[in-house]
Amino acid sequence: MAGGQVRNFTLTAAPTNLTLGPGVTTQGWAFNGTVPGPELRVRQGDLVRVTFRNQLPQPSTIHWHGIPVPNGEDGVAGVTQDATPSGGTATYAFVVAVPGTYWYHPHQHSAEQEDKGLYGALIVDPVTPGAATATDTTIVVDEWAIGPMLTAPPPGDGMDMMAYGIDTVNGHTGSAVPPLRLAAGQTARVRVVNAGFLTHNVHVHGTAVRILATDGHDVADGAPIQAPVPVAAGERVDLGFTVPSGSWSLDWHDGTSAARQITIPLTTAGTGGATDASWNGDAAAVDLSTYSAAAPPSTAATATVSATLHLNEGSSGMSGGGMSGMSMGGSQFSINGKSFPDTAPVLVHRGDTVELTFVNDGKLVHPMHLHGHAFEPVVLNGHPWRALMLKDVIGVAPHATVTVRFVADNPGVWMIHCHELHHAAGGMDTLLQYAGSPRLATLTGDTTPE
Ligand SMILES: [Cu+2]
């Protein structure tokens, strides 16, 4: 790898008055005064050194989502570090070995802290550039619960999530969403980061797109598609397309009316900048497991460790209760019948080929995230996954069974959790534990990674 540079950044987390759109204001929390926080743009091989200044009224951390950092830099309160106290400062340092689209957010009280606006993109450019793209745009999508009725994040999905009535892209909603100005015939790359709790299906009207990368990792020679592309909570998808002339736009089809607020007009230079006003909130999204790409799935060695994780709403002793009647802070989300921290860890040795099978026994989508590693989805509901994709989040639909595979090559103690962070806060978390790796921090006092 080419010699890297040392890249220094300072991220200050503090309460911030936010204006998301005309008349839409909220008291949020932000990095360096903006939502999203500053985009950290670095090059493969760089040493990234971040000074974190915590001016929040509570302890916090920063997690580098998708980057295979050394365990001690992972930013998980109570697992890899003690949270940085209010008024305190911490330093993170890690080499970015893998190019792609990543992001950062707290991992202490994250259902609350990330929800208030603490997130930003971390883009790693490759040492050897691929095909040139004329434009490279990052879009971070999120939902907001704004209104006099709500004083805290709601505990679940369904009715509770109806409180999330405002959607934003890059911190803007409605008429405050700026148009993307592109030239017809240009090759465009759009990096979509989902910092919210819901799956959002992104759709570029007026042209076919290719999936260039999932969760930072290139997808080789993917087929062009017209349908919306699903992006689960915590997930990233890079889309590539040739900018058409005429009317078009980028919008979202995820079954919520709030998605209407974040249509991005795409203004083609020289054509007067018409936008596509059509909107079909019910358009079906492409099934990523059937996406075709030139590179075949890997035929990795047989797993040396296999674990099955049954995901459910309601832990043992609470089954049959459904969502109603469950209270915030209880153990309403489970893995194999237990809620974190009582869940059983997945035990591995360095060099193991690990297969995790997620079985969704519940009624809600669970976007499952693994820290410190990228995995390859290999089987969905008994059928082989068609295209080779490396990912760190996978949306597991109700009643679905998904098997993912990875090599245990980054020793430590790592979170495996649902990235619908209300579910994580309710206990849908466990640990990937390497033999011989010390756990660097413990859950004490106010510490909670979710
Ligand atoms: Cu979940």
Side-chain angles (χ1 to χ4, degrees):
M1 185 178 296
Q5 297 186 329
V6 179
R7 302 291 307 278
N8 291 299
F9 300 95
T10 298
L11 292 175
T12 302
T16 307
N17 289 314
L18 300 171
T19 299
L20 306 177
V24 185
T25 60
T26 186
Q27 171 83 60
W29 291 352
F31 287 114
N32 297 6
T34 65
V35 175
E39 178 173 302
L40 308 185
R41 190 112 196 182
V42 298
R43 200 153 185 238
Q44 184 183 10
D46 284 349
L47 171 64
V48 177
R49 200 158 55 188
V50 177
T51 301
F52 170 46
R53 297 167 62 218
N54 181 11
Q55 296 179 358
L56 304 171
Q58 58 177 248
S60 190
T61 69
I62 306 179
H63 167 60
W64 313 97
H65 184 125
I67 304 275
V69 298
N71 195 224
E73 308 301 308
D74 202 39
V76 180
V79 178
T80 68
Q81 67 163 93
D82 296 331
T84 301
S86 179
T89 299
T91 303
Y92 296 92
F94 49 89
V95 173
V96 284
V98 186
T101 304
Y102 303 96
W103 62 301
Y104 60 90
H105 61 79
H107 230 292
Q108 150 81 350
H109 283 309
S110 55
E112 176 187 8
Q113 295 193 359
E114 185 185 315
D115 200 36
K116 285 176 172 283
L118 290 169
Y119 56 78
L122 169 54
I123 309 298
V124 183
D125 287 318
V127 166
T128 308
T133 51
T135 67
D136 188 325
T137 306
T138 306
I139 293 171
V140 188
V141 60
D142 191 16
E143 318 93 26
W144 299 76
I146 294 175
M149 302 294 287
L150 203 86
T151 57
D157 241 336
M159 292 300 287
D160 300 310
M161 287 305 295
M162 289 176 68
Y164 283 78
I166 300 288
D167 283 1
T168 57
V169 285
N170 294 341
H172 300 296
T173 191
S175 61
V177 176
L180 263 179
R181 298 183 196 286
L182 304 173
Q186 274 186 331
T187 306
R189 184 184 196 104
V190 173
R191 303 167 186 267
V192 180
V193 179
N194 188 346
F197 298 135
L198 300 173
T199 299
H200 295 281
N201 303 322
V202 60
H203 195 198
V204 180
H205 287 257
T207 185
V209 302
R210 292 174 196 273
I211 298 175
L212 301 180
T214 54
D215 292 348
H217 300 269
D218 286 353
V219 175
D221 298 326
I225 47 177
Q226 300 274 0
V229 176
V231 190
E235 202 172 18
R236 290 86 65 213
V237 174
D238 293 17
L239 300 177
F241 54 90
T242 301
V243 178
S245 55
S247 277
W248 60 310
S249 62
L250 185 154
D251 64 15
W252 311 79
H253 300 253
D254 50 33
T256 68
S257 58
R260 278 179 178 276
Q261 301 159 352
I262 50 173
T263 294
I264 303 176
L266 292 156
T267 302
T268 306
T271 66
T275 61
D276 184 349
S278 66
W279 190 82
N280 175 3
D282 297 326
V286 69
D287 177 353
L288 287 185
S289 74
T290 64
Y291 188 61
S292 64
S298 82
T299 51
T302 309
T304 54
V305 171
S306 298
T308 299
L309 306 181
H310 285 267
L311 313 174
N312 211 340
E313 302 107 35
S315 55
S316 56
M318 296 181 66
S319 58
M323 288 299 298
S324 59
M326 293 182 182
S327 61
M328 179 79 173
S331 47
Q332 66 267 53
F333 293 92
S334 65
I335 295 178
N336 293 341
K338 305 273 194 188
S339 294
F340 188 78
D342 298 326
T343 46
V346 177
L347 303 174
V348 300
H349 289 80
R350 186 173 194 161
D352 274 334
T353 296
V354 183
E355 278 189 359
L356 299 179
T357 297
F358 298 108
V359 182
N360 189 342
D361 294 331
K363 299 182 181 67
L364 306 173
V365 176
H366 297 299
M368 299 305 294
H369 173 46
L370 170 65
H371 287 213
H373 307 72
F375 55 68
E376 177 190 350
V378 289
V379 182
L380 170 68
N381 297 331
H383 300 288
W385 200 277
R386 219 166 126 187
L388 172 61
M389 294 180 182
L390 290 177
K391 304 184 52 48
D392 53 66
V393 178
I394 191 152
V396 186
H399 313 300
T401 297
V402 184
T403 298
V404 304
R405 183 189 290 151
F406 62 95
V407 174
D409 59 1
N410 193 7
V413 181
W414 303 97
M415 295 291 293
I416 304 169
H417 68 92
C418 185
H419 221 287
E420 210 300 12
L421 295 174
H422 303 121
H423 303 179
M428 192 173 280
D429 320 76
T430 189
L431 299 173
L432 178 75
Q433 165 92 54
Y434 279 67
S437 289
R439 179 167 167 162
L440 301 172
T442 54
L443 299 169
T444 54
D446 188 38
T447 303
T448 172
E450 319 87 12

